[in-house]
Amino acid sequence: DDVYDHPATPFVCQFLGETNCLPVDIHGGQAFYHNYPIYHAAQLNQAGSGSLYVRPQDLKLDAPSSGGLSGIVEAVRRHGALRRVEVSVAGVGRRLELDLASQVPPSIGEHVGLKVARAVVFAA
């Protein structure tokens, strides 16, 4: 559990489960994506460029906004008891994936916001 929750390297993080990776800038304990704060954690004591790794279950739907983390729903499919939603976000090389438990999934083509509930950040 400790290695899964607190991986020491990006390789370990990706090896132990599915992840989404976002390029971020780190300042003052926050991770910024395109100058918008998307994640705050006390352990972010470094500054500069980095990568934020967030698992599909730790990425949540939010109201769409003009800034921050948002995109267009590209696909929705069953993933066991969950719905796997794929969202294309400008500046990210691949679609971000998130899992929804019991809520009604968004429609393909819908503009959605995304909120990072828990993540791991590594300096570049």
Side-chain angles (χ1 to χ4, degrees):
D1 285 345
D2 189 45
V3 174
Y4 181 86
D5 291 335
H6 308 285
T9 67
F11 173 80
V12 171
C13 186
Q14 292 176 312
F15 183 77
L16 292 178
E18 297 178 53
T19 60
N20 295 292
C21 181
L22 294 164
V24 293
D25 289 314
I26 306 160
H27 302 286
Q30 293 197 71
F32 291 82
Y33 181 75
H34 289 238
N35 297 320
Y36 291 94
I38 61 167
Y39 186 67
H40 177 78
Q43 79 272 14
L44 295 180
N45 56 8
Q46 69 263 31
S49 297
S51 296
L52 181 137
Y53 290 83
V54 58
R55 300 197 185 282
Q57 66 269 19
D58 295 324
L59 197 56
K60 309 298 180 194
L61 281 181
D62 201 8
S65 65
S66 60
L69 198 53
S70 62
I72 304 296
V73 174
E74 298 288 341
V76 179
R77 67 182 186 281
R78 281 293 294 267
H79 190 72
L82 306 172
R83 299 277 184 212
R84 175 64 56 97
V85 179
E86 296 180 17
V87 179
S88 64
V89 175
V92 178
R94 65 182 187 114
R95 296 175 181 169
L96 299 183
E97 296 183 341
L98 62 140
D99 291 333
L100 300 178
S102 61
Q103 66 188 100
V104 176
S107 301
I108 293 174
E110 186 174 340
H111 188 216
V112 296
L114 301 172
K115 182 177 178 182
V116 177
R118 189 171 77 164
V120 179
V121 180
F122 295 100

